[in-house]
Amino acid sequence: MVTLNEIKKNLARLFSQAFPKCHIFTEDIRQVETENGSAFPLLHIQLELQGSELAMGADTRDKTVLIDITYMEESKSSNQTLYDVQERLELAIGGGFFCGDRYLHVESVSGSIVDDLLHVMFPVAFNDGIPQTGETMDLFGELEIRM
């Protein structure tokens, strides 16, 4: 089973390798104690479950999660820097990423710059098993066929 927290944790690990000098947040952004007393530059990872569909009688769900990565350099960022970061994020994401033993495929990535913030967004769709609870059935034993 793939959880939203596992996706965030794996993305944070992936981006910390691609952006070693960047502070990565997966919760509320807050100032942190650093050498110069600033949290900049920063990446913020936000996940939004867009859909979780169950087919009748199925034991799996089709899930879609929108991942929104926000980058902020300072209180004012140059577009040139933001374009560079967007390209580096796309390279880091590539065709997808591992989450535990699963590979989550990324088909499309979009970006926008609003108020000196870069937003890079991409959906991830996957099929996830539902943990079964309750009675367990014994499997059939040997089956003999006479012809």
Side-chain angles (χ1 to χ4, degrees), residues 34-137:
T34 60
E35 291 176 15
N36 61 3
S38 174
F40 297 111
L42 66 84
L43 279 175
H44 181 256
I45 302 170
Q46 182 69 43
L47 275 59
E48 178 183 332
L49 181 62
Q50 290 193 311
S52 179
E53 297 179 19
L54 174 67
M56 186 179 298
D59 58 354
T60 62
R61 286 190 175 275
D62 293 325
K63 292 185 177 183
T64 303
V65 176
L66 178 66
I67 300 169
D68 183 354
I69 312 299
T70 304
Y71 174 82
M72 186 174 188
E73 183 178 35
E74 289 284 341
S75 57
K76 181 125 177 98
S77 302
S78 72
N79 282 345
Q80 183 177 0
T81 301
L82 297 179
Y83 299 151
D84 179 53
V85 170
Q86 181 171 354
E87 290 172 359
R88 288 174 53 204
L89 279 169
E90 288 182 28
L91 285 173
I93 296 163
F97 58 95
F98 280 97
C99 185
D101 62 350
R102 305 268 306 268
Y103 185 78
L104 302 181
H105 183 69
V106 176
E107 289 186 26
S108 65
V109 178
S110 64
S112 64
I113 298 173
V114 178
D115 295 332
D116 294 314
L117 294 174
L118 170 67
H119 288 274
V120 174
M121 295 163 280
F122 54 95
V124 175
F126 57 95
N127 185 274
D128 207 9
I130 298 173
Q132 299 297 316
T133 59
E135 294 183 25
T136 58
M137 304 270 189

Side-chain angles (χ1 to χ4, degrees), residues 13-36:
R13 185 179 310 124
L14 175 71
F15 294 142
S16 67
Q17 294 169 356
F19 296 89
K21 295 182 180 181
C22 207
H23 300 284
I24 299 176
F25 294 90
T26 59
E27 297 298 329
D28 294 335
I29 298 173
R30 63 188 185 286
Q31 291 292 335
V32 294
E33 293 297 323
T34 60
E35 291 176 15
N36 61 3

